[in-house]
Amino acid sequence: MIPMNLSEVSEFRLLGFSEASHLHPLLFVVLFSLYILTVMANTVIALIINADSTLHTLMYFFLTQLSCLDICYLSVIIPKVLENLMVGTIDISKTGCAMQMFFFLFFGVAECFLLAAMSFDRYMAICYPLHYTVIMTSRVCKSLVAGTYICGTAVGLVHTIITFSLPFCGLAINHFFCEIQPLLELLCGNTSPSEIQVIVVALFAIVGPFLLIIYSYICIIFTIFKMSSAEIQQKAFSTCSSHLLVVTLFYGTASSMYLRPKSGYSASVDKLLSLSYTVVTPLLNPIIYTLRNEEVKGALKKRWRTINFVWK
């Protein structure tokens, strides 16, 4: 049967986890719990940083932005997933699908560049400590954050406009949200140009910032090894170990998703990877920064003691 050209389609069908319908109640409870925990954890981090004057530094300004991005990033996806798990296969309008793809890419790409900006901040603080306060001013940091949002907007618009201007030969998206790869599966004819487009944009949005991060950490490591004592080395490394772990988690899953050809696409593997970077990574970020950062732990303990005192 020759597939019909459905370029004028008005809605798509999200299949979600239809192959595991018997697990929907369990998945709903797990994902809903993880969603609430993630929003709460990132909100607490942002509020603690805002409330504690000792954390009003540029590093924690970036961390607040990361927490806000994680909340927004997650909220673009999870509500629709929970609806899918409650009622089974659901329909989403073409406009709604395009908006979901845009905001998913916007927040995801913004986070890629924000992680690069955070690594640059650590690079300046460790490699050029005497020039740090002169170069890394509040204005510079706000400009870097604005740049991350501009890049996110550009990538989101380009991907979304090009993808949704092409003709579709299918309606059923074998995923739990409007992801790029499942939508490529629905395009008519030769999808190689679209596939190349995904890889080129991924090289800009994923590999570009990642190379900046790698360069920053190579310089940081060389600088740390030149320091006079092991104690100073440990203190310097502890200021960037949390960020390095977050980068590994985020870029590891993102690169495995978008830096592979469509021939290597597997719906079940894709859904698993998508869950890891849309749900697990945003939850782990505040945990990593809390458990591995003495200043944040100290601020949390101080706020907890204040709350206990008020209640008593």
Side-chain angles (χ1 to χ4, degrees), residues 137-150:
T137 62
S138 177
R139 183 178 179 180
V140 168
C141 289
K142 288 176 182 177
S143 298
L144 287 172
V145 171
T148 67
Y149 292 129
I150 291 170

Side-chain angles (χ1 to χ4, degrees), residues 11-18 84 89-90 92-94 97-98 100-101 164 168 170-186 265 267 270-271:
E11 63 181 21
F12 294 98
R13 177 157 294 181
L14 290 171
L15 299 182
F17 300 95
S18 55
N84 188 296
T89 300
I90 59 172
I92 183 171
S93 67
K94 187 177 182 180
C97 191
Q100 189 181 55
M101 174 184 278
F164 283 88
F168 290 95
L171 297 174
I173 301 174
N174 191 11
H175 212 286
F176 51 81
F177 72 102
C178 294
E179 241 279 32
I180 300 168
Q181 291 287 5
L183 277 167
L184 289 181
E185 293 284 306
L186 303 181
Y265 173 77
D270 189 44
K271 290 177 188 179

Side-chain angles (χ1 to χ4, degrees), residues 165-232:
S165 64
L166 298 171
F168 290 95
C169 289
L171 297 174
I173 301 174
N174 191 11
H175 212 286
F176 51 81
F177 72 102
C178 294
E179 241 279 32
I180 300 168
Q181 291 287 5
L183 277 167
L184 289 181
E185 293 284 306
L186 303 181
L187 293 177
C188 300
N190 181 20
T191 61
S192 294
S194 299
E195 190 178 341
I196 292 170
Q197 168 210 324
V198 170
I199 294 175
V200 168
V201 174
L203 287 172
F204 166 73
I206 298 175
V207 177
F210 186 66
L211 290 176
L212 290 174
I213 293 170
I214 292 295
Y215 173 77
S216 297
Y217 274 104
I218 288 173
C219 294
I220 287 170
I221 289 169
F222 275 112
T223 302
I224 289 175
F225 282 147
K226 292 177 184 178
M227 290 177 177
S228 56
S229 70
E231 184 180 351
I232 297 174

Side-chain angles (χ1 to χ4, degrees), residues 57-76:
T57 63
L58 298 180
M59 183 176 76
Y60 294 109
F61 167 72
F62 285 124
L63 182 54
T64 302
Q65 296 297 317
L66 181 64
S67 293
C68 293
L69 275 177
D70 280 338
I71 292 172
C72 296
Y73 184 65
L74 193 64
S75 298
V76 169

Side-chain angles (χ1 to χ4, degrees), residues 24-77:
H24 280 192
L26 176 62
L27 285 172
F28 180 88
V29 172
V30 171
L31 290 180
F32 180 74
S33 301
L34 289 176
Y35 178 59
I36 297 299
L37 282 172
T38 303
V39 171
M40 287 177 61
N42 282 286
T43 301
V44 166
I45 288 289
L47 291 176
I48 288 293
I49 291 172
N50 185 61
D52 196 311
S53 58
T54 62
L55 300 180
H56 290 178
T57 63
L58 298 180
M59 183 176 76
Y60 294 109
F61 167 72
F62 285 124
L63 182 54
T64 302
Q65 296 297 317
L66 181 64
S67 293
C68 293
L69 275 177
D70 280 338
I71 292 172
C72 296
Y73 184 65
L74 193 64
S75 298
V76 169
I77 307 300

